[in-house]
Amino acid sequence: MFRRIEARIVNELLGNEVSLPEYATDGSAAMDLRACISSPITIPPGGRELIKTGLAINMMDPGLVAIVASRSGLSLKHHVHVAQGIGVIDADYHGEIAVILANDGSADYTVQQGDRIAQLMFQPVVQMAFNIVDQFSTQTDRGEGGFGSTGKT
């Protein structure tokens, strides 16, 4: 079973127009984000649009990050996806969550009020401190091999 953490949500943005994000099943890792817009937004082929969700959260746990990811069905069927690959929502950001959607298809794609536009997942955060050294102290099988250095199979 998954660990449950509570978050606060600012209700004024959502109103009664869009339902809260929820997990579709007990095994779901992410919940769907829905468009909270006053009128339909059409994304032309090759275009990008900022779609508001009406959702602002306070994660109450500085050790978390919210990740916005594409919905696989939207990407496969309509070639519409989160423009920057993923979106990162830091624990100390309390503004409205919006999603940049990109249309890589050949036809217009129109987002309607309440449409499921992306997924929201929460992950633990590890902050790294860097130390400058003259060289690394251990060698690996990979060594300094770069892209494709481990082979195809």
Side-chain angles (χ1 to χ4, degrees):
M1 195 36 104
F2 298 105
R3 177 179 150 205
R4 298 271 181 187
I5 298 174
E6 290 188 13
R8 292 182 217 144
I9 294 175
V10 177
N11 191 34
E12 296 86 43
L13 293 173
L14 273 173
N16 295 322
E17 303 278 326
V18 176
S19 60
L20 285 174
E22 60 186 3
Y23 296 99
T25 68
D26 287 340
S28 295
M31 54 182 72
D32 286 327
L33 286 173
R34 296 180 180 272
C36 186
I37 52 180
S38 57
S39 61
I41 297 174
T42 298
I43 309 170
R48 290 172 158 42
E49 291 290 337
L50 185 68
I51 311 296
K52 294 186 175 188
T53 67
L55 183 66
I57 59 175
N58 177 338
M59 288 187 261
M60 302 185 329
D61 185 338
L64 292 177
V65 62
I67 302 292
V68 177
S70 297
R71 295 190 67 243
S72 56
L74 193 58
S75 295
L76 177 65
K77 295 174 185 171
H78 303 285
H79 307 280
V80 172
H81 57 90
V82 174
Q84 69 273 40
I86 64 167
V88 174
I89 303 166
D90 297 311
D92 58 355
Y93 175 72
H94 298 160
E96 182 177 5
I97 296 170
V99 178
I100 304 168
L101 287 182
N103 180 356
D104 287 340
S106 57
D108 286 351
Y109 182 79
T110 300
V111 179
Q112 304 284 343
Q113 167 72 357
D115 281 356
R116 296 180 297 164
I117 57 168
Q119 298 182 85
L120 184 66
M121 180 187 324
F122 297 89
Q123 296 286 316
V125 171
V126 175
Q127 288 188 336
M128 184 65 64
F130 290 103
N131 294 310
I132 298 174
V133 297
D134 291 331
Q135 64 184 21
F136 295 129
S137 60
T138 60
Q139 295 296 319
T140 67
D141 290 340
R142 176 182 292 234
E144 294 182 15
F147 297 110
S149 64
T150 59
K152 191 170 182 178
T153 56

